[in-house]
Amino acid sequence: MAQVKTVSDVRNEFLGRRELVCDFEDAAGRLRRPEAVEAVRAEHGLEGGLVVPVRLQNHVGRTHVTGTFFVYEDEAAAKAHIDPSIMARIEKSLATKEEPAAEEAEAGEAKGASDGGAEAGEAKGASDGGAEAGEAKGGE
């Protein structure tokens, strides 16, 4: 993870959010938004709030990236201030983070049930193979 240096940390009382501007050292070309959000969360201890990456700016001839983030304590305020398409993208990314844990649990439960299904699939494959062989002979 890239080093995070806070450039600006302002509390915007009017909009009910915290506005962070951070520099990520040696991250040009390698920093993605989810990684930047996780780095900012770790640096500032923001486990409860919604962190919205507004802008990641690469600098010409330099290896650092400047990121602007909005941190909302209340998700309803974030939905009121941020474009709905951006909020949909954020909700989708949050859902994909939660989904792998649920899939792992389901995979463990389904593994026992799928063992019997694998044998049935093998039997079906054998019967299909015989049909293909018959078609090949009939075609000669």
Side-chain angles (χ1 to χ4, degrees):
M1 198 176 301
Q3 280 185 319
V4 180
K5 185 177 101 176
T6 303
V7 175
S8 169
D9 186 356
V10 178
R11 176 81 183 142
N12 188 333
E13 294 295 331
F14 180 68
L15 296 175
R17 68 184 179 204
R18 185 174 168 188
E19 300 171 357
L20 294 170
V21 177
C22 300
D23 278 343
F24 298 89
E25 299 297 327
D26 298 325
R30 293 179 280 137
L31 185 67
R32 295 182 308 185
R33 287 179 185 261
E35 295 168 353
V37 168
E38 290 304 316
V40 168
R41 279 185 191 276
E43 179 72 20
H44 294 282
L46 303 171
E47 296 305 320
L50 177 67
V51 180
V52 179
V54 177
R55 181 178 184 192
L56 291 178
Q57 179 183 10
N58 290 303
H59 299 279
V60 177
R62 297 183 147 200
T63 60
H64 77 273
V65 178
T66 301
T68 303
F69 303 90
F70 294 160
V71 181
Y72 289 93
E73 295 298 324
D74 184 23
E75 193 170 330
K79 287 182 180 181
H81 296 131
I82 295 179
D83 188 65
S85 62
I86 295 171
M87 284 304 295
R89 192 178 321 141
I90 291 170
E91 289 171 355
K92 182 179 176 182
S93 70
L94 292 175
T96 58
K97 285 181 185 178
E98 295 170 0
E99 194 172 287
E103 286 179 2
E104 289 174 5
E106 290 176 6
E109 294 172 5
K111 184 178 180 183
S114 68
D115 291 340
E119 293 171 3
E122 291 171 2
K124 182 180 178 185
S127 66
D128 290 343
E132 292 173 4
E135 291 173 8
K137 288 181 182 178
E140 290 179 11

